[in-house]
Amino acid sequence: MCGIVGILARDTVAPQLVEGLKRLEYRGYDSAGVATLDHGRIVRRRAEGKLRNLEAALAAAPLAGRSGIGHTRWATHGAPTEANAHPHATETVAVVHNGIIENFRELRDELTAQGAAFTSQTDTEVVAHLVSHALAAGATPRLAVQQALKRLRGAFALAFLFAGEDDLLIGARRGSPLALGHGDGEVYLGSDAVALAPFTDEITYLEDGDWVALTRDSVEIFDEAGALVERETVRSSVASVVVDKGAHRHFMSKEIAEQPEVVGHTLVRFIDMTSGRVRLPAGGDFDFSGLDRLAISACGTAYYAGLVARYWFEKFARLPVDIDIASEFRYREPPLTPGGLALMISQSGETADTLATLRHCRAQGMKIGAVVNVPTSTIAREADVVFPTVAGVEVGVASTKAFTCQLAVLAALAIKAGRDRKVLSEEDEAKLVASLIELPRLMAETLRLEPQIEKLAQTFSKALDVLYLGRGTSYPIALEGALKLKEISYIHAEGYAAGELKHGPIALVDENVPVVVLAPYDALFEKTASNMQEVAARGGRIVLITDREGAGHAGDTLATIVVPDSYAFVSPLIYAIPVQLLAYHTAVFMGTDVDQPRNLAKSVTVE
Ligand code: F6R
């Protein structure tokens, strides 16, 4: 799950490689490295940790050469050390890799027996030795790569640089994405168009199984069978600017603050503001009336957005929803209805498990819808119908604005489904849409609670465990609150359905465990309030997040956070904000790396 770039430049290439890698750090930041050709010889700089360490290494000892490859790593095989950092190289070839070579052990044993000396614990190094071996036996670089690819099992995108070949780069993809860019006397390879945006907007996406041989003035693409093929070149709309933090200390804080605006932008794509009716974007229209069921699949935070949507589709459209964590979906072997709709939710559009689920559903004859934030992503390109979120670039590894934008899209889709299936009247639609239109204002008001939440975060930073409780659509928000806290503050946290607490987890409650209760004053409030009393009776310290009416019935709490009153339908988008802020400020108190927490990556492209 790493980022790769390759460039045949007109001038010194190392700064360009770093420029591309900056835009790929979201795919991993355990180590980074580049290799270039200096008078035909492969030379490398590699560094453990973030890209800035590699930049420092290059500043201290710059690399010459106009041709090169680069990598930013999320460790799968082998610790995040310099020795395991890519590019991996022999005298004759250097390679960068995103993905996993599943049969690397067997290949490593075979190559070791033939005399190859391995210097890392990675799966990638076998690729360098395989190609090197073929070159030593007299194969051309093209043939050597072709032979090596035949030996590899797993998912990968690869870029190769060859000693003595200043005008040649070879790339290959199977499972993991790879794009190529066309410049003025320069050519580029990259994990996505974002990496190549500083250099070109003319992009060709390789298809699964393709490999490509690039020189400065020629591009030859071959399919898996080795036949020369043409792939369309498109103009990418990805902006080349590196997004900055503005006045914020972290991207996450900026992205939380942007939510009223980006949710507004997203809603405008799905709602006709003048008529107050749902209107799906052009190319994203879909009729839900003929469906028996809806299958939703996603990972992490996006999965929690799907959990909220299940309540909405079932209530407003009487449409039964099956929802799965994407990494589990295929193993459950659910019976799928050909012609049915499978809905994938993904910020990056590159999550390997979600993509594998998409392909599985497609193979079963289902139609594929995608709620996706990156329009050029693989999931967006492979879906039949795209329902775009307009969150803009999300840099913070912990997803915030993409989540609320996903909820906004799913809310609009649930209303559309309710109308298509004749469950909602025109009047119902108008009411629900009116509550969506109010959202940006209510979200902006909720953000004003930040100073109160910041104070509370000091208490949370001393906790070892935190529980989050909610009922109905507040339950997935409790799960999301717990996920946000653990991923950026490293404090253990769990989200529970409030009614489930007494079936086990209440044993964890004592005066050291803060319990965050999400309870809008709706039809479920009384029941959640009883669960709150059960916690209080055992010395638990409650933080209640509720509205004005709920606060009046709060009883004894450590703190009560009062969010603006809203229609119950839209409360998940409002209650998401205090839990995001609580996680953020707790992490800031603890001094963790908020935007790039340990062990994580923004885009998870391995299964
Ligand atoms: C948590 C988080 C992850 C992602 C998950 C899916 O804050 O960001 O749980 O939600 O990895 O990623 P996408 O949405 O890119 O498919």
Side-chain angles (χ1 to χ4, degrees):
M1 193 169 80
C2 310
I4 67 177
V5 287
I7 302 178
L8 294 178
R10 278 179 310 212
D11 230 318
T12 314
V13 75
Q16 276 176 284
L17 292 170
V18 169
E19 214 28 61
L21 290 178
K22 275 185 189 158
R23 290 160 176 81
L24 289 174
E25 227 184 351
Y26 73 90
R27 301 173 79 93
Y29 36 80
D30 286 335
S31 66
V34 293
T36 63
L37 286 186
D38 186 358
H39 295 91
R41 208 168 47 89
I42 294 170
V43 283
R44 290 185 287 173
R45 291 286 174 276
R46 298 179 297 164
E48 196 178 315
K50 305 252 168 86
L51 189 59
R52 59 173 174 263
N53 299 347
L54 175 68
E55 286 185 273
L58 282 166
L63 280 184
R66 303 185 309 148
S67 314
I69 53 178
H71 189 268
T72 178
R73 176 168 190 244
W74 186 78
T76 58
H77 296 64
T81 57
E82 185 178 330
N84 287 329
H86 301 216
H88 290 286
T90 65
E91 291 267 301
T92 51
V93 66
V95 63
V96 285
H97 167 217
N98 164 35
I100 290 178
I101 308 296
E102 287 168 4
N103 57 336
F104 86 99
R105 269 178 229 286
E106 143 200 343
L107 292 171
R108 190 174 167 124
D109 290 348
E110 178 187 316
L111 289 157
T112 307
Q114 289 165 359
F118 281 82
T119 57
S120 79
Q121 291 127 19
T122 64
D123 52 340
T124 308
E125 202 182 348
V126 298
V127 185
H129 285 290
L130 269 179
V131 173
S132 205
H133 202 75
L135 290 170
T140 61
R142 283 171 173 77
L143 190 61
V145 168
Q146 220 182 345
Q147 286 173 357
L149 293 177
K150 288 203 178 104
R151 300 290 318 276
L152 303 179
R153 279 207 317 269
F156 50 79
L158 298 160
F160 298 92
L161 180 72
F162 301 88
E165 299 277 354
D166 181 58
D167 198 23
L168 178 67
L169 271 186
I170 294 187
R173 71 156 287 195
R174 193 187 297 160
S176 307
L178 189 61
L180 59 106
H182 312 267
D184 183 11
E186 297 194 338
V187 280
Y188 320 91
L189 283 172
S191 292
D192 61 26
V194 178
L196 306 184
F199 319 121
T200 183
D201 61 355
E202 266 182 60
I203 300 291
T204 306
Y205 291 100
L206 294 186
E207 290 186 11
D208 222 26
D210 284 356
W211 65 277
V212 60
L214 299 175
T215 70
R216 284 180 182 76
D217 54 22
S218 74
V219 170
E220 284 177 309
I221 305 176
F222 303 88
D223 66 12
E224 205 157 8
L228 194 61
V229 286
E230 294 272 329
R231 301 287 179 227
E232 195 190 355
T233 296
V234 294
R235 206 161 276 279
S236 158
S237 55
V238 173
S240 76
V241 279
V242 174
V243 213
D244 68 23
K245 295 180 199 145
H248 294 262
R249 189 163 158 201
H250 298 100
F251 280 107
M252 184 177 176
S253 137
K254 175 171 175 253
E255 288 161 5
I256 291 173
E258 279 172 356
Q259 289 178 106
E261 192 183 337
V262 293
V263 163
H265 290 163
T266 301
L267 285 171
V268 166
R269 302 284 291 275
F270 289 82
I271 284 172
D272 180 345
M273 293 291 172
T274 5
S275 66
R277 310 281 303 272
V278 172
R279 187 207 47 210
L280 301 189
D285 207 359
F286 186 81
D287 188 344
F288 290 81
S289 57
L291 293 182
D292 293 330
R293 313 187 70 76
L294 170 65
I296 299 183
S297 208
C299 299
T301 289
Y303 169 71
Y304 297 150
L307 281 184
V308 173
R310 173 168 63 181
Y311 289 86
W312 289 335
F313 278 107
E314 295 195 336
K315 176 172 176 171
F316 297 124
R318 308 306 300 152
L319 177 59
V321 173
D322 302 311
I323 172 155
D324 278 273
I325 294 169
S327 56
E328 285 300 317
F329 183 86
R330 285 162 300 155
Y331 311 122
R332 195 163 65 81
E333 297 184 32
L336 300 172
T337 324
L341 180 66
L343 192 60
M344 307 296 138
I345 309 169
S346 177
Q347 187 286 124
S348 63
E350 300 294 351
T351 301
D353 289 312
T354 312
L355 183 57
T357 303
L358 178 157
R359 289 175 178 161
H360 176 80
C361 292
R362 147 120 339 112
Q364 307 282 314
M366 297 188 82
K367 190 159 179 142
I368 310 295
V371 177
V372 68
N373 195 44
V374 180
T376 51
S377 62
T378 314
I379 290 178
R381 283 183 286 117
E382 292 197 12
D384 298 306
V385 200
V386 175
F387 304 114
T389 51
V390 194
V393 180
E394 191 179 64
V395 177
V397 162
S399 186
T400 52
K401 61 176 181 169
F403 175 63
T404 42
C405 287
Q406 285 160 356
L407 289 176
V409 170
L410 291 161
L413 292 182
I415 300 173
K416 170 76 165 61
R419 287 291 287 141
D420 287 350
R421 298 166 69 80
K422 308 208 180 332
V423 180
L424 296 179
S425 65
E426 217 171 286
E427 206 180 22
D428 297 329
E429 177 182 11
K431 264 197 213 144
L432 293 169
V433 168
S435 68
L436 287 179
I437 293 175
E438 273 197 328
L439 262 173
R441 178 178 58 79
L442 296 177
M443 293 174 87
E445 252 178 67
T446 310
L447 284 167
R448 293 199 206 115
L449 295 166
E450 187 159 5
Q452 184 196 359
I453 296 172
E454 187 176 358
K455 271 195 209 131
L456 190 62
Q458 206 160 3
T459 312
F460 274 62
S461 64
K462 297 186 187 86
L464 295 178
D465 299 284
V466 179
L467 294 180
Y468 287 75
L469 306 180
R471 267 176 196 268
T473 52
S474 297
Y475 165 44
I477 305 302
L479 295 171
E480 170 62 1
L483 177 63
K484 285 291 89 101
L485 188 72
K486 57 188 150 193
E487 69 181 325
I488 58 169
S489 74
Y490 317 143
I491 294 174
H492 175 247
E494 295 295 339
Y496 281 101
E500 185 64 12
L501 192 71
K502 55 188 172 296
H503 299 290
I506 199 161
L508 296 171
V509 171
D510 64 20
E511 60 285 358
N512 299 315
V513 180
V515 181
V516 180
V517 181
L518 298 149
Y521 195 77
D522 57 15
L524 304 175
F525 181 85
E526 290 301 338
K527 288 191 191 299
T528 309
S530 308
N531 303 133
M532 222 163 71
Q533 292 317 318
E534 293 154 15
V535 170
R538 282 146 185 97
R541 291 180 305 160
I542 292 160
V543 172
L544 174 64
I545 306 180
T546 186
D547 46 28
R548 236 174 340 154
E549 190 65 36
H553 297 74
D556 243 5
T557 62
L558 171 67
T560 301
I561 297 168
V562 185
V563 302
D565 295 338
S566 68
Y567 193 52
F569 169 46
V570 296
S571 69
L573 287 101
I574 293 171
Y575 284 69
I577 293 178
V579 297
Q580 293 167 346
L581 288 170
L582 188 56
Y584 171 71
H585 284 291
T586 305
V588 171
F589 268 117
M590 300 191 68
T592 60
D593 191 340
V594 172
D595 285 330
Q596 293 185 323
R598 68 184 183 201
N599 305 340
L600 296 175
K602 183 73 185 151
S603 178
V604 185
T605 56
V606 290
E607 285 187 31

